[in-house]
Amino acid sequence: MPVYHLMEDRFRTALRRFLGERYGLDLPVAIERPPRLELGELATPIAFELARRLRRAPRQIAQEIASGLGPIEGVARVEVAGAGYLNAFLDRAQFFELAQELARGTAPAAASAASKVIVEHTSINPNKAAHIGHLRNAVLGDTFVRLEHFAGRPVQVQNYIDDTGVQVADVVLGFLHLERKSLEDVRRLAAEPQPRPNGAPESGKPDSGARRFDYLCWDLYARVTEFLEADPARLELRAQTLRAIEEGVGAESELAGIISTAILRSHLRTMDRLGIRYDLLARESDILRLHFWDAAFRQMTSRGVITRPATGKYAGCWIMALGDAPAEEGAEAEAKVIVRSSGTVTYVGKDIAYQLWKFGLLGLDFHYRTFSRYPDGSAVWTTASEDGEPNVPEFGRAREVYNVIDSRQAYLQNVVSAALRALGFEAAAAHSVHFSYEMVALTPRCARELGYELSAEDTQRPYVEVSGRRGFGVKADDLLDKLESAARAEVDARHPEDSEAVRAPIARAIAIGALRYFLLKYTRNTVIAFDFHDALSFEGETGPYVQYAIVRARNIFRKLAEQEPNPAPAPPAAAPGQSISALSAESRAKLLAGPEGDEFWELLLLAGSLGSQAAAATASQEPAFVAKFAFQLAQSFSVFYHRHHILSEADPVKKAFLVELVGFVASQLVAALALLGIEAPEKM
RNA sequence: GCGCCCGUAGCUCAGGGGAUAGAGCGUCUGCCUUCUAAGCAGAGGGUCGCGGGUUCGAAUCCUGCCGGGCGCGCCA
């Protein structure tokens, strides 16, 4: 357990024990951070709460607790302040020692298979290039995965691929009827090598896009939408195409396979640029072919979860009742259609079957095959309908499932958990989490910059929605390219002496840092109004600001090694966490006292709070907390860096102490960025 | 009509019962011969949408308005 978190825990435990022994009370104790350092490091307003119950003045109660509490390990003293706050002051030197000790042994807690977590994210329809909205989904999901992993829980990452849906059908229809391409034509287009396999920008200019298959489909999809809107009779064409794909027959089905697989590969490539990886690609076509729905249907009918009314507006459909209050006489009860009167299943129906599978409650399983491998050899698996490979890891059977889906689908996600609950799977229903977030929209200004025409009404709005259907939005790779060339220009200006091989990865790390931080700094339920000005910024509250703080810290170690090549008081950049000087506890305590010591202490305390910040982020499923923390710590470090010149410090003991402090802070900054999926370059 | 979310500095957002409400951007003024100025320091900027209520204490909880967003299909 990280150090600040541990101290919180000890303080809380001591308080609860005292409350129980003295007053016979068992109540939750809120621990907070006092507003100023003079008031200590931990505080609780518990005396106010007790004042009501005990009918005594809060200050008097606080006094009683403070004197009766007894010693707490790591806490120097407890004081009463204000109208009745209890403030704890930590033993600073001990905190520092403990913090470094704990930071060194970072082996995550033994992962227990019983607590397996599935996180599903990305899940882009495989019929067009990924856009900025998809990036928010993937980055949030991926960061949550990192947080779960950090907490020591086994996580499996799934990406749901709707390869038999309307969106793919539309592009199939487009190739066949608008483009009049043959199967072979499309196969050739789809097989065309990507111009930038590793995402390196060509001469700083975004790729023209004309050749890229995912970009080509992006445009075609928009044209198909127009084509279908122009004459509603054409919808029959779509219905036919969709039916053929679902049944797995004809050229339509084969085309759907070619298109969805090629697009999926480009999505994986795009996400790989951002450090986002998957364990399993779960394909809709396999859910259909393995008849998952039939198994779910049997469960739902046999337990009476869905019924088929003979009359009324739902006559002939299988419906699930929603809401517990029976509807008034005459009014239709609130219900959701699961099977249409035509006998076909709705989207939610399939989703219920899939959700049951995730918990191991369906009674059926997929076959599995290796889809591709990452450079390090780890496999991305895909579901299959037959011919599975042997020696497959166990998929599904999770205890908790997080579905990263935007907030517009809240209603449908509720229907899915309601179905699990109605089936009697209470625990699964309770652990089916809709990891909800708001969409990414464009500011009207940004939309105009992109050349989209806006209605007078849209211009007045705070933001306008992106629409893959209309081809309206910022493509993920275009944005990444833009960021990389902007970062590259900065790097070139600063490090003209370095070779291409040195500069390119730095620019890439900065671009990713800027993008991931930008998408993570907003809390989930805030609509991001996207604007190039903010997204392309490398200053202020941004990823590069945090990266820069780390680079500065590393420079200190680098220069230090040049100054004194032999003694190596602290190893440089590679492992800043393991600074081990022979500082005595007394020296540390002395340097952490007094006005200047307060300054160091504040920085140390903040750096030691990473664990509790990460825990808060995990508990509330809010990655933005980690982003905020990383920025605050970087900010505190920047101030410290500016005020204290370490290399020129004359006092060797103090110098060793400062080096140790910088090492610890840098290690926590690196760890915080790693949680966000951001790397710190060696220089920038 | 019903449900969910939001309204905090000029702009974009944190804070979601507790001590003097914060940050970034933008504006203005300083600081590079010193570990990288992608930085630091300072100034200016607030009826926390409005009205009631609960509480020792409300930006935070309840309620009613006002304004904005998103859902609510035998689409996915």
Side-chain angles (χ1 to χ4, degrees):
Chain A
M1 191 187 300
V3 62
Y4 185 77
H5 207 34
L6 180 66
M7 299 313 302
E8 268 181 324
D9 230 53
R10 286 180 183 170
F11 188 43
R12 183 182 290 112
T13 307
L15 284 163
R16 292 192 71 156
R17 180 164 356 101
F18 183 80
L19 261 41
E21 286 168 5
R22 184 63 169 251
Y23 310 114
L25 290 172
D26 180 31
L27 38 132
V29 176
I31 304 292
E32 48 195 52
R33 193 56 199 282
R36 294 181 310 282
L37 204 55
E38 311 96 87
L39 298 171
E41 291 80 32
L42 298 165
T44 179
I46 191 71
F48 298 109
E49 175 71 26
L50 290 170
R52 189 167 30 245
R53 293 167 182 266
L54 304 176
R55 294 169 183 278
R56 284 165 52 199
R59 221 189 134 87
Q60 192 196 359
I61 297 170
Q63 202 58 256
E64 192 169 285
I65 298 175
S67 47
L69 206 52
I72 303 168
E73 199 188 346
V75 174
R77 64 182 198 279
V78 176
E79 283 181 3
V80 179
Y85 281 94
L86 269 170
N87 294 338
F89 295 75
L90 300 180
D91 179 325
R92 298 178 175 187
Q94 200 181 327
F95 182 95
F96 197 2
E97 254 168 73
L98 194 57
Q100 294 187 86
E101 204 175 296
L102 291 170
R104 266 195 304 278
T106 44
S112 131
S115 62
K116 177 172 170 183
V117 174
I118 286 179
V119 177
E120 179 192 302
H121 66 74
T122 308
S123 307
I124 312 169
N125 274 300
N127 74 327
K128 61 182 176 302
H131 62 61
I132 176 80
H134 301 128
L135 286 182
R136 187 178 195 187
N137 182 303
V139 168
L140 275 171
D142 178 66
T143 305
F144 186 63
V145 167
R146 290 166 193 264
L147 281 166
E148 287 289 318
H149 185 75
F150 183 73
R153 304 215 283 164
V155 198
Q156 215 158 57
V157 187
Q158 302 192 354
N159 182 356
Y160 177 74
I161 312 301
D162 187 1
D163 56 350
T164 52
V166 179
Q167 296 214 16
V168 170
D170 279 357
V171 173
V172 168
L173 182 161
F175 275 121
L176 290 177
H177 301 277
L178 299 187
E179 294 279 290
R180 312 221 168 252
K181 298 278 191 209
S182 70
L183 211 60
E184 273 318 306
D185 292 338
V186 178
R187 208 189 297 277
R188 211 171 308 118
L189 284 171
E192 214 148 14
Q194 301 287 315
R196 287 172 292 93
N198 209 15
E202 306 291 332
S203 65
K205 195 171 173 353
D207 175 271
S208 70
R211 288 248 151 74
R212 285 185 59 166
F213 187 66
D214 55 342
Y215 282 28
L216 188 150
C217 289
W218 172 285
D219 294 336
L220 180 56
Y221 181 42
R223 280 170 52 211
V224 171
T225 301
E226 277 177 36
F227 172 76
L228 294 175
E229 279 171 357
D231 180 2
R234 291 167 176 166
L235 289 174
E236 181 49 33
L237 193 58
R238 171 200 267 170
Q240 281 171 18
T241 310
L242 184 58
R243 213 172 304 134
I245 294 170
E246 282 184 356
E247 287 164 11
V249 299
E252 287 90 347
S253 175
E254 204 168 333
L255 255 185
I258 293 166
I259 294 165
S260 61
T261 303
I263 298 285
L264 174 56
R265 286 190 193 281
S266 51
H267 290 162
L268 293 184
R269 214 157 17 231
T270 301
M271 295 308 168
D272 195 40
R273 289 178 76 178
L274 288 157
I276 299 171
R277 295 181 170 194
Y278 309 89
D279 296 309
L280 179 65
L281 310 169
R283 297 190 307 182
E284 166 96 359
S285 55
D286 297 313
I287 291 177
L288 287 180
R289 268 149 226 163
L290 293 167
H291 306 288
F292 274 26
W293 166 244
D294 294 347
F297 180 76
R298 280 193 297 274
Q299 288 197 35
M300 294 181 84
T301 47
S302 71
R303 297 188 208 184
V305 173
I306 54 177
T307 54
R308 183 150 70 158
T311 58
K313 90 172 165 181
Y314 294 129
C317 301
W318 287 94
I319 60 169
M320 185 171 86
L322 290 176
D324 20 44
E328 297 160 36
E329 273 305 299
E332 290 279 358
E334 201 191 337
K336 177 72 196 162
V337 172
I338 306 295
V339 182
R340 303 181 189 101
S341 54
S342 66
T344 56
V345 199
T346 60
Y347 166 74
V348 228
K350 286 182 270 191
D351 230 34
I352 292 167
Y354 180 38
Q355 191 75 1
L356 284 169
W357 171 82
K358 287 180 183 166
F359 283 104
L361 297 171
L362 187 67
L364 287 178
D365 200 358
F366 296 103
H367 297 279
Y368 301 94
R369 276 208 288 267
T370 309
F371 183 79
S372 61
R373 284 186 186 278
Y374 292 110
D376 68 2
S378 61
V380 190
W381 292 87
T382 176
T383 57
S385 306
E386 51 193 14
D387 299 333
E389 290 175 22
N391 306 320
V392 177
E394 181 181 78
F395 293 108
R397 297 182 168 277
R399 203 180 90 89
E400 285 174 47
V401 173
Y402 293 87
N403 294 320
V404 182
I405 308 177
D406 80 69
S407 63
R408 288 172 290 192
Q409 296 208 43
Y411 168 70
L412 291 173
Q413 284 291 300
N414 285 336
V415 172
V416 172
S417 0
L420 296 188
R421 188 162 291 119
L423 281 166
F425 300 126
E426 273 298 332
H431 292 129
S432 276
V433 181
H434 175 198
F435 188 106
S436 164
Y437 65 94
E438 281 287 348
M439 63 182 170
V440 181
L442 307 178
T443 62
R445 187 182 75 176
C446 178
R448 265 193 308 272
E449 274 170 28
L450 288 165
Y452 299 116
E453 300 230 344
L454 295 184
S455 64
E457 196 189 348
D458 278 343
T459 308
Q460 295 310 308
R461 288 166 172 261
Y463 48 76
V464 286
E465 238 180 288
V466 305
S467 166
R469 190 163 283 280
R470 289 190 291 147
F472 178 75
V474 178
K475 295 189 198 75
D477 280 321
D478 284 352
L479 178 57
L480 270 161
D481 292 346
K482 262 191 143 152
L483 281 157
E484 275 183 20
S485 43
R488 184 54 194 268
E490 298 286 334
V491 175
D492 288 351
R494 280 158 230 249
H495 301 287
E497 75 288 355
D498 280 320
S499 69
E500 165 70 26
V502 172
R503 284 183 281 176
I506 295 173
R508 216 171 293 145
I510 292 168
I512 290 162
L515 181 55
R516 289 192 63 130
Y517 191 94
F518 176 78
L519 291 170
L520 289 168
K521 74 175 179 178
Y522 299 93
T523 50
R524 285 186 287 123
N525 62 7
T526 298
V527 176
I528 297 180
F530 180 87
D531 197 296
F532 284 108
H533 176 263
D534 295 332
L536 288 171
S537 169
F538 300 146
E539 290 165 18
E541 195 195 336
T542 65
Y545 176 95
V546 183
Q547 291 171 315
Y548 186 62
I550 294 169
V551 166
R552 285 174 136 184
R554 286 176 174 167
N555 282 342
I556 295 174
F557 289 111
R558 196 166 37 78
K559 289 271 164 108
L560 205 60
E562 287 166 15
Q563 257 183 20
E564 329 168 21
N566 290 328
Q578 12 173 293
S579 70
I580 280 326
S581 53
L583 271 180
S584 67
E586 291 71 34
S587 314
R588 288 206 190 92
K590 205 186 297 172
L591 284 155
L592 283 166
E596 199 183 46
D598 282 348
E599 225 176 275
F600 301 151
W601 171 235
E602 207 147 14
L603 178 61
L604 171 59
L605 182 64
L606 188 62
S609 313
L610 169 64
S612 59
Q613 296 292 321
T618 308
S620 54
Q621 294 145 39
E622 191 58 271
F625 291 173
V626 180
K628 292 282 171 196
F629 169 79
F631 175 66
Q632 277 170 17
L633 183 55
Q635 213 174 20
S636 294
F637 176 75
S638 295
V639 175
F640 164 87
Y641 175 91
H642 186 75
R643 289 165 70 147
H644 304 280
H645 201 271
I646 289 139
L647 293 181
S648 59
E649 175 55 52
D651 176 355
V653 176
K654 184 171 178 187
K655 186 171 180 179
F657 170 83
L658 292 176
V659 167
E660 192 179 47
L661 180 56
V662 171
F664 179 63
V665 172
S667 76
Q668 298 311 100
L669 278 172
V670 169
L673 282 192
L675 281 174
L676 302 174
I678 299 172
E679 274 175 40
E682 285 304 318
K683 61 161 111 172
M684 59 189 281

